[in-house]
Amino acid sequence: MSEVRFDGQVAVVTGAGGGLGREHAHLLAARGARVLVNDTGGHPDGSGKGSSKRAEAVVAEIEADGGVAAANAESVATPEGGRAIVEQALDLWGRVDVLVNNAGIAGGGPFHEIPPEEVEAMLRVHVLGAYNVGAAAWAAMLEQGYGRVVNTSSNSVFGMPGTSHYITAKAAIIGLTRALSMERAGHDLKVNAVMPMAYTRLTAQLPSKRFKGWLQDHYGPERVSPFVAFLASKQAPCSGELFTVGGGRVARVFLGVAPGYTAADPSPEVYRDHWEEIMSPSGYAIPADSEEEIALYSGEIRWRGGDSPDPSREH
Ligand code: NAI
């Protein structure tokens, strides 16, 4: 069986000074990539004085293992930071084949009590971070005609109390992944996202000791990175997809749409009376894009005037 390798390739991993990013960086380097290890340092909530020490420590580890890496301490949260991260990789090694958008912070509080500056900081690091580094890397990837982007969402998107700004940011990452996967312009560019689950300094803050112990025993970050590396490789089989990944398990997470119920004569009462059909997931479809979602139900709607959209449209 051929090995998944990155010889001759360059990878940028953001937030790689610890936790999941550090493992991603190690694995990519061990498989032959030259890796730019980006990390601002600082506390898990993004506060504190940044330092390049976290990134430098990981570079030293990779070099000690015989790999090639360089440290970068720019913040992903600004457009200048994003550009500087990608420019360093380009200056050093001339290309960017892989971008793992992993940098992240955590925080919490009741929805109405989270200070606006914390909401903004959260969106800046996660959403704009993926944009800032992503846009700079995307330009290089388009020019090369090749690239792989792995974004980091979170299974908190399924619902979790007390961290609305984090979940909002992580949901936006799914939208960005879908959007970018449609902008490949005929090149071999693939963009996917993971919802990782691992014991790191972020999850070490969770209140339940029992849950933390279980995570620590079974959910090491090294059990997430192999799948991230696969998505980051030439052999990645998909684009625009989302996966939940943890403890060695990987599963597809998708946006599906059920057949629903079409009212001939819409009224609040009609929908009340057909609630079961509206809610039933049975017979769901997974549209490849927004047009396909429209085409799925347009055949059921009597089109008033003009040509109706063709539900059998080919993709
Ligand atoms: P971590 O705190 O160990 O790693 C995050 C890294 O990002 C830190 O080293 C931090 O210094 C760095 N960072 C923060 N702001 C930055 C910025 N502006 N620019 C550059 N670097 C910055 O935490 P962990 O768990 O490894 O998290 C990695 C990613 O995985 C995050 O995006 C997180 O939200 C996500 N995630 C983690 C889960 C888990 O189970 N550990 C669950 C779901 C998502």
Side-chain angles (χ1 to χ4, degrees):
M1 203 168 60
S2 72
E3 236 192 315
V4 172
R5 293 209 48 98
F6 298 87
D7 302 300
Q9 293 200 343
V10 173
V12 172
V13 185
T14 68
L20 285 156
R22 172 175 168 271
E23 288 298 330
H24 301 338
H26 268 285
L27 183 55
L28 293 169
R31 296 295 179 113
R34 288 160 286 176
V35 182
L36 191 77
V37 176
N38 158 262
D39 205 294
T40 46
H43 300 304
D45 65 358
S47 65
K49 209 165 148 271
S51 131
S52 56
K53 285 206 176 101
R54 265 168 91 77
E56 279 162 9
V58 174
V59 169
E61 291 166 6
I62 290 174
E63 286 175 345
D65 288 344
V68 179
N72 175 289
E74 297 283 345
S75 172
V76 301
T78 66
E80 307 80 61
R83 279 195 296 272
I85 292 165
V86 171
E87 270 163 24
Q88 186 176 338
L90 290 173
D91 288 348
L92 281 171
W93 301 309
R95 52 188 298 123
V96 175
D97 301 281
V98 172
L99 168 62
V100 184
N101 279 315
N102 165 83
I105 57 174
F111 172 56
H112 59 295
E113 287 177 12
I114 302 174
E117 55 279 11
E118 284 182 26
V119 174
E120 206 178 308
M122 188 65 78
L123 296 176
R124 274 194 193 288
V125 173
H126 291 276
V127 186
L128 299 185
Y131 246 97
N132 294 329
V133 192
W138 196 249
M141 288 172 176
L142 279 175
E143 213 171 298
Q144 292 162 190
Y146 178 87
R148 298 285 182 264
V149 179
V150 184
N151 290 324
T152 308
S153 180
S154 160
N155 90 333
S156 60
V157 167
F158 284 114
M160 179 189 273
T163 182
S164 54
H165 53 346
Y166 179 78
I167 298 176
T168 303
K170 288 307 201 186
I173 296 294
I174 301 172
L176 176 62
T177 303
R178 296 292 299 173
L180 259 189
S181 73
M182 308 268 144
E183 295 200 20
R184 297 187 259 173
H187 295 302
D188 185 9
L189 302 189
K190 291 182 177 170
V191 188
N192 292 287
V194 292
M195 295 172 154
M197 179 53 72
Y199 186 77
T200 65
R201 66 177 196 168
L202 283 194
T203 39
Q205 297 177 73
L206 291 170
S208 161
K209 269 196 184 145
R210 236 178 110 199
F211 181 64
K212 270 194 303 196
W214 176 73
L215 269 186
Q216 204 164 6
D217 292 345
H218 305 288
Y219 284 77
E222 73 285 352
R223 298 184 71 77
V224 171
S225 299
F227 188 68
V228 169
F230 176 50
L231 291 180
S233 75
K234 277 187 186 149
Q235 296 175 44
C238 59
S239 191
E241 296 292 340
L242 174 64
F243 301 91
T244 179
V245 189
R249 169 179 173 263
V250 174
R252 184 185 187 190
V253 177
F254 50 82
L255 270 180
V257 58
Y261 172 74
T262 304
D265 197 5
S267 70
E269 294 76 19
V270 166
Y271 296 117
R272 177 198 61 204
D273 296 344
H274 290 273
W275 189 241
E276 267 186 37
E277 288 138 282
I278 291 169
M279 290 300 284
S280 170
S282 141
Y284 71 84
I286 308 171
D289 58 25
S290 69
E291 280 185 49
E292 201 167 291
E293 198 265 341
I294 296 168
L296 279 171
Y297 61 73
S298 60
E300 296 222 349
I301 294 172
R302 203 171 302 134
W303 205 251
R304 299 199 174 113
D307 293 335
S308 78
D310 177 4
S312 63
R313 186 180 66 91
E314 278 185 6
H315 286 272

